Amino acid sequence: MKFRNEKVIGILQVISGAALFGLIPILVRFGESINTPALVFFRAFFGALFIYLLIKLSGRELKKFNEEKVKLIGWSVILILAIGTYFAALKLLDIASAVLLLYSYSIFIVFLSRFWLKEKIYFHTIIALIISIVGVVLIISPSGFKFQGNAVGYLFAISAAFFSALNFVFPKKYFQNYDIHSLVFYQSIWQLPVLISFVFFNPPTFSVANLGIFASLGIFCTALSFLLVYGGSRKIPGQYVGILQTTEVIVPIVLGVLLFSEVPSPLVIIGGLLLIFGYIIIGFKESELKSNEKEFAAKEQNQL
C-alpha cells in the first residue's frame, strides 16, 4: 500500500512539474514587451535564489566544483542559448509550433549520444528518429517550406531544440557523479555574469506585472518544476516519466487556444503527435533496456 501511494505521489509530482514548465510559453507571451536577455537573466536569478534557499533550509550541502569551473560555465552558456532561442521563437511563432519544435530535441539527443557519447543506437531509436523528423517536417510545412515570414522563428525553435539536447547530454558526459541540486544552482548562477551586460544596456521596465513574470519563470517554471520532476521520477518507472512529461506540451497548447485563440493547424497537430510518439518510444524502450540490464546483472551476481 505504501509503495502504491508513493507511486501515485511520484506520478502527480511529474505531471505537476511538467505542467509548470509548460507555463513558460504563456508567461513569455504575456511578457512580450520584455526583451529576451532580461527574461533569461531574471529566470536564472530567481531560479538560483529559490534553489539556494531550498538547499540551505533542507540542510543539504552545496557542493563545490572548483576543478570543473570551465565546464560549468560552458554548460551555463549552452542553457542560455537554449532558453534564449526558445523565448525568441515564442515571440515569433504561434505557441503550438514553438513548443512542438522544441520537443524535437530528441532527434539531436540521438545524434549527440551516438557521435559524442559513443553510445550504441538501437533499432527502436532509429524508428523513433524517423517518426520525429517526419513530425518536424509536418510542423514546418504550413509555411510551404519557403521560410518566409516566420522563417527566423522556425530557425530559433530548431536551434532551441539543438541546445536543449546539448544541455541534456553535457552533464551525462562530464557530471555523472555530481549532486544534481548543486549543479543546477551553479548552472543558474554562472548565467548571470554572462547576461548582466545585456540587461544593463537594455534594462526592462520593473513593473509589478513584469516582476511577477520574472519570479514565476524562475521559481515555478524552473526550480520548482525541476525539483518536482526529478523527485517524482525517482518514485516511478522511467518509462512513465517520458509519457507523463508530455503534459508540458499539452498545457501551453491548450492555454494558447483558450487565452490567445491560437488554434494549431491539422498538420501541426499531426506533426506534434508524431514528435511525442517518437519521444515516448525512446523513453519507454530505454527504460525497458535498463530494466533488462539490471535483471541480467542480478542473475550473474546470483550465479557467482
Side-chain angles (χ1 to χ4, degrees), residues 227-246:
L227 292 172
L228 283 169
V229 172
Y230 178 73
S233 65
R234 301 176 72 177
K235 298 183 179 75
I236 60 176
Q239 58 191 298
Y240 294 166
V241 177
I243 298 170
L244 295 173
Q245 277 192 284
T246 56

Side-chain angles (χ1 to χ4, degrees), residues 170-188:
F170 197 93
K172 286 180 65 108
K173 177 76 173 178
Y174 298 114
F175 305 128
Q176 277 279 51
N177 302 315
Y178 289 96
D179 173 60
I180 191 68
H181 291 79
S182 299
L183 276 174
V184 173
F185 170 76
Y186 285 119
Q187 189 189 34
S188 298

Side-chain angles (χ1 to χ4, degrees), residues 22-36 39 87 90-93 95 204-205 207-214 216-217 221 251-252 254-262:
L23 292 178
I24 287 178
I26 307 304
L27 290 169
V28 171
R29 185 56 55 87
F30 277 125
E32 206 163 12
S33 61
I34 306 171
N35 64 77
T36 300
L39 285 170
F87 285 5
L90 286 166
K91 292 185 176 185
L92 296 171
L93 299 175
I95 288 173
T205 302
S207 63
V208 173
N210 287 355
L211 287 172
I213 290 171
F214 294 148
S216 298
L217 282 171
C221 301
V251 167
V254 171
L255 289 177
V257 173
L258 295 176
L259 297 175
F260 307 110
S261 301
E262 294 185 4

Side-chain angles (χ1 to χ4, degrees), residues 15-16 19 25 35 43 56 132 135 144-145 153 161 181 225 232 242 251:
I15 291 175
S16 301
N35 64 77
R43 171 189 176 273
K56 291 299 181 183
S132 298
F145 302 104
H181 291 79
S225 170
V251 167

Side-chain angles (χ1 to χ4, degrees), residues 192-204:
L192 303 182
V194 177
L195 290 164
I196 189 67
S197 58
F198 294 98
V199 177
F200 180 78
F201 288 109
N202 190 15

Side-chain angles (χ1 to χ4, degrees), residues 46 56 124 156 162 179 286:
F46 282 104
K56 291 299 181 183
H124 72 267
F156 272 136
F162 169 74
D179 173 60
E286 288 298 324

